[in-house]
Amino acid sequence: MNQPLTLFEKIWTSHVILEEEGEALVRVDLALIHEGSFHAFRVLDEAKRPVARPMQVYAFADHYVPSTGRDRGAAGVADAGLREMLALLEKNTARFDIKLFGLNDEHQGILHVVPPELGMTQPGLIVAGQDSHSCTHGALGAWALGMGASEMTHVLATQAAWLRKPGTMRIALDGAPTAGVTPKDIILAVIAKIGAAGANEHVIEYAGSTVAALSMEARMTVCNMSVEAGARSGLVAPDDTTYAYLEGKQYAPRGAAWQEALAYWKTLPTDPGARYDREVKIDVAQLSPMVTWGISPEHAAPVTGTAPDPDAAPDANKRAETQTALEYMGLAPGASLLGIPVDHVFIGSCTNGRIEDLREAAEVARRGRAVVPAWVVPGSAGVKRQAEKEGLADVFRKAGFEWRDPGCSMCSAYNGDELQPGQRCASTTNRNFRGRQGRGVRTHLMSPAMAAAAAITGRLTDVREFMKA
Amino acid sequence: MEAFTKLTAIAAPIDEINVDTNQLSPSRFSKTPRGPAYANILLHDARFNADGSEKDYVLNRGPFRKAAILVTGRNFGCGSSREGAVYGLHEFGVRCVIAPSFGEIFLNNCYKNGLLPVTLPEDAAADIRRQLRERPGAQVTVDLPQQTVTDPGGKLHRFEIKPVRKRCLVEGLDDISRTLQYQEAITACEARDRASRPWLWFNRA
Ligand code: SF4
């Protein structure tokens, strides 16, 4: 019998072109780019090289699109610099015959939301995206990894990448989440446990009974934040949930091709007896709704908890780190997280901008009225249409939330959607780094339900309070 | 790509850990085309006040303005994949960063732009930073062919680097040229995929 292999090893082996001194040249199935990829096109031009496989490259207008005024197309983009970035993407993709989901496309949206939604991301593929949250696509059993401009330039020029084989890490999530605990809380708890560098140089496979019971979109939320634990990718083995999600989607195979693809996908899950380099176990039944208190996603705690006391830190490094974080966040050591007043709420991003996220937030929004500015930004035009059809947009509007146009918005903060220094934001995004949502802005990461609850009370709130009512 | 062999230069200590790419190159500058402007984008919010005046930050102090080597805390360059982080270091004049660990995507971006990331153990890096604080302007030597760092006190630290990374840096060989030597193997691999996963290819060129 062949040696048992993990899901990742199967994908890796089938894509390696050759190996050279500990690195492999690996074939890339799908490359995903956005407005920020203009660096890559400039380098290609300087080197006088074409795009090798334009049919395997897709481009998205997402990072730099404003979240209002979009019914007026490019004319609705007030900032000339942003208009220029969008025009440049149009020009570069047209020149090389790359399919662009542009400003006015019916499927415009975030590069990690649209491809799964249209069935482009499929099990067994290698997906390379020019954004570190490309790991999102791993939810479908693809090996998906983020890249910088130089690596992406190389992919565009060759449809391949030089990579080192990462180690494998299995994160077993078992147990049923209690009320109020969402996929976002699960992944925040994972990161808090293993640390922001806990999975460096590893690819994570999420497994266990909790994962098996999660919907496709929930798996995307979990995989999305793999990079916040230091892993370039996280994946979930394909199963019936995956197949049901893909069937009938625009880019998914059909008819006889579907049967062939399905047979192949079913060979992908990890073989019994395959070994991982590392294993971590988490009892999901023990988790509570989480929020971050600091400036790294690992600075997360149950919402009923407190900000840490630097003096209780195990070593000098950790003490200094905690101090810096609390100072930036304007929190006292030991401060209780419940009740911290917020200035703004942001619901959206490739972490939590899908339809299930909006349903979750709307469920809470129904129960009150926003007392601080609260934005809801769908991850794609498709999500927006669906939410409007389901009446969620009306729920949000009625509750005083702002219903905006799809894109990265206040997650990338490249597009004019940013806050003022010192402002505090309850956000469903993936990074609470200093300045991520604008210079000096303080970000608390949490689930869509918790963010909606914060909008209604104007404070960090335990969403379970609303569930009792 | 510029080749990297041996460098003796002023080194600056950055004691903080988890200096992420957003601090190295804040989002609002990401529209900036690569060029000299990146020198001041580097660590902008740590180095400059809102009115553009300088803050008291290590890279704004005397000899450290000329630093070509940074010695930092762990997990340097974690976070977003933005390459502006490396452009900033490059334009400021930094050619080598020494740290106990690095963000992975940042690490790759360094190699691809001719910047040498050196991983040294936590206590060695801390000790070099201490020396640099005590003797501002002291020089450090990084010898890539020998894989050694010589600290201001003359102590030699050996570091590891993948042979292929070393070769590309030493020869200044860019990745695309390296790959295109293997065009035949790439085409053959694609042909195999076309045969085994035809459904992926029906609409491709
Ligand atoms: S939503 Fe945020 S993390 Fe996701 S692709 Fe956009 S900028 Fe990146």
Side-chain angles (χ1 to χ4, degrees):
Chain A
M1 204 186 110
N2 291 336
Q3 190 200 341
L5 296 176
T6 64
L7 165 64
F8 164 72
E9 286 162 335
K10 293 181 195 187
I11 301 176
W12 172 267
T13 311
S14 64
H15 286 76
V16 169
I17 299 164
L18 54 93
E19 287 181 72
E20 183 181 83
E21 298 183 39
E23 273 192 324
L25 183 61
V26 174
R27 223 169 40 75
V28 169
D29 292 301
L30 280 187
L32 309 175
I33 59 173
H34 59 81
E35 303 96 317
S37 306
F38 71 98
H39 286 294
F41 287 106
R42 203 183 32 76
V43 177
L44 279 183
D45 287 344
E46 277 168 17
K48 299 199 172 48
R49 299 204 192 273
V51 172
R53 293 283 177 268
M55 297 292 284
Q56 287 167 256
V57 183
Y58 295 95
F60 301 84
D62 54 6
H63 282 64
Y64 291 80
V65 297
S67 57
T68 52
R70 294 264 294 284
D71 45 335
R72 284 177 288 133
V77 182
D79 183 294
L82 296 179
R83 254 199 329 270
E84 225 168 273
M85 293 291 288
L86 290 160
L88 193 57
L89 180 69
E90 270 176 37
K91 198 178 102 208
N92 280 325
T93 49
R95 206 147 68 80
F96 289 108
D97 232 349
I98 292 169
K99 165 79 183 158
L100 165 68
F101 293 89
L103 195 61
N104 301 318
D105 195 283
E106 59 168 332
H107 295 302
Q108 180 268 335
I110 304 174
L111 79 166
H112 310 315
V113 175
V114 177
E117 186 175 275
L118 298 183
M120 287 173 185
T121 310
Q122 296 168 18
L125 297 187
I126 293 188
V127 180
Q130 197 180 339
D131 179 284
S132 51
H133 295 92
S134 301
C135 46
T136 314
H137 302 263
L140 289 108
W143 184 38
L145 62 168
M147 289 185 172
S150 303
E151 270 191 297
M152 186 49 82
T153 310
H154 182 275
V155 169
L156 293 179
T158 65
Q159 201 59 30
W162 286 103
L163 296 166
R164 267 182 292 150
K165 191 177 179 182
T168 53
M169 177 174 192
R170 182 176 189 269
I171 298 188
L173 301 170
D174 283 294
T178 55
V181 175
T182 73
K184 179 67 160 284
D185 303 299
I186 297 176
I187 190 62
L188 283 173
V190 167
I191 299 164
K193 176 171 168 133
I194 70 174
N200 272 3
E201 292 180 29
H202 282 70
V203 48
I204 299 173
E205 182 177 338
Y206 300 97
S209 60
T210 314
V211 177
L214 288 180
S215 72
M216 209 57 240
E217 295 196 354
R219 293 176 190 179
M220 288 185 225
T221 300
V222 171
C223 287
N224 175 272
M225 292 191 71
S226 303
V227 68
E228 309 310 334
R232 210 166 164 187
S233 327
L235 30 71
V236 174
D239 61 8
D240 289 342
T241 304
T242 320
Y243 314 140
Y245 177 86
L246 282 172
E247 194 164 9
K249 293 217 186 296
Q250 190 179 331
Y251 284 77
R254 288 165 196 280
W258 170 262
Q259 292 305 330
E260 264 181 318
L262 195 60
Y264 162 71
W265 295 342
K266 289 185 172 170
T267 67
L268 291 170
T270 298
D271 298 326
R275 288 182 28 115
Y276 295 83
D277 299 312
R278 288 172 61 197
E279 300 214 30
V280 174
K281 282 190 186 349
I282 290 188
D283 182 357
V284 173
Q286 300 302 318
L287 303 181
S288 310
M290 304 282 289
V291 293
T292 59
W293 51 264
I295 53 174
S296 157
E298 77 174 50
H299 296 157
V303 62
T304 48
T306 53
D309 182 349
D311 290 336
D315 57 59
N317 269 338
K318 200 74 198 162
R319 190 177 318 134
E321 177 190 338
T322 309
Q323 238 152 17
T324 311
L326 291 178
E327 233 163 75
Y328 181 84
M329 293 300 290
L331 297 177
S336 130
L337 298 175
L338 278 175
I340 294 175
V342 300
D343 302 298
H344 203 283
V345 171
F346 177 73
I347 298 173
S349 86
C350 60
T351 318
N352 284 129
R354 283 171 290 266
I355 191 70
E356 289 180 8
D357 301 310
L358 302 191
R359 287 181 193 139
E360 178 189 312
E363 219 24 70
V364 177
R366 263 178 226 289
R367 293 157 195 260
R369 255 198 91 73
V371 296
V372 292
W375 290 11
V376 186
V377 179
S380 71
V383 171
K384 185 171 190 236
R385 272 192 300 277
Q386 180 64 25
E388 284 171 350
K389 196 168 111 195
E390 291 180 20
L392 305 181
D394 291 331
V395 171
F396 286 123
R397 284 198 204 100
K398 239 200 259 153
F401 290 60
E402 265 186 63
W403 180 246
R404 299 174 79 99
D405 291 318
C408 296
S409 182
M410 207 174 269
C411 176
S412 72
Y414 290 170
N415 34 42
D417 291 353
E418 58 178 318
L419 296 173
Q420 295 306 308
Q423 283 196 306
R424 194 181 290 283
C425 184
S427 181
T428 69
T429 49
N430 43 41
R431 288 206 168 125
N432 51 345
F433 294 168
R434 276 171 282 195
R436 171 84 183 186
Q437 297 188 298
R439 190 176 169 123
V441 175
R442 296 157 169 165
T443 303
H444 293 275
L445 302 177
M446 63 194 74
S447 72
M450 289 271 288
I456 288 175
T457 60
R459 300 168 178 280
L460 296 191
T461 301
D462 189 340
V463 68
R464 291 171 296 192
E465 293 299 317
F466 280 85
M467 300 170 69
K468 282 184 216 148
Chain B
M1 194 173 88
E2 230 172 302
F4 188 110
T5 47
K6 188 172 169 181
L7 171 71
T8 299
I10 293 175
I14 294 184
D15 292 323
E16 271 187 283
I17 61 166
N18 295 329
V19 174
D20 60 70
T21 53
N22 191 49
Q23 293 172 62
L24 288 168
S25 180
S27 303
R28 62 184 185 283
F29 296 115
S30 55
K31 278 174 287 185
T32 314
R34 186 170 189 172
Y38 271 92
N40 280 348
I41 292 176
L42 174 71
L43 287 162
H44 186 278
D45 296 349
R47 288 165 60 206
F48 301 100
N49 293 304
D51 65 5
S53 60
E54 286 188 354
K55 291 186 183 174
D56 177 32
Y57 183 74
V58 55
L59 295 182
N60 292 339
R61 285 180 217 138
F64 296 132
R65 291 177 192 274
K66 294 210 173 61
I69 299 171
L70 299 183
V71 188
T72 76
R74 82 180 119 86
N75 209 19
F76 188 81
C78 59
S80 120
S81 58
R82 75 191 61 179
E83 214 143 317
V86 174
Y87 302 161
L89 290 166
H90 197 268
E91 294 297 335
F92 186 86
V94 173
R95 300 295 320 280
C96 171
V97 182
I98 301 173
S101 63
F102 293 92
E104 202 182 332
I105 301 177
F106 173 79
L107 200 68
N108 284 318
N109 288 340
C110 283
Y111 290 127
K112 285 169 201 301
N113 287 281
L115 212 99
L116 173 66
V118 169
T119 309
L120 286 186
E122 189 92 49
D123 43 343
D127 188 53
I128 302 176
R129 291 199 303 271
R130 182 190 50 78
Q131 296 179 45
L132 297 174
R133 278 195 307 273
E134 288 171 5
R135 296 171 46 198
Q139 295 200 324
V140 166
T141 296
V142 181
D143 186 328
L144 177 55
Q146 294 300 319
Q147 297 181 218
T148 55
V149 171
T150 313
D151 71 24
K155 189 169 169 203
L156 213 62
H157 307 263
R158 208 184 139 71
F159 64 89
E160 295 306 319
I161 180 169
K162 301 275 172 202
V164 63
R165 290 300 183 197
K166 180 169 160 178
R167 179 163 68 87
C168 289
L169 279 171
V170 169
E171 293 175 18
L173 186 70
D174 82 79
D175 267 1
I176 297 178
S177 320
R178 179 179 162 214
T179 302
L180 292 177
Q181 307 166 30
Y182 302 118
Q183 188 55 56
E184 245 169 71
I186 300 176
T187 315
C189 188
E190 278 182 351
R192 283 198 300 280
D193 192 56
R194 203 182 282 261
S196 64
R197 300 192 299 174
W199 65 89
L200 288 175
W201 291 87
F202 74 93
N203 65 348
R204 285 184 190 165

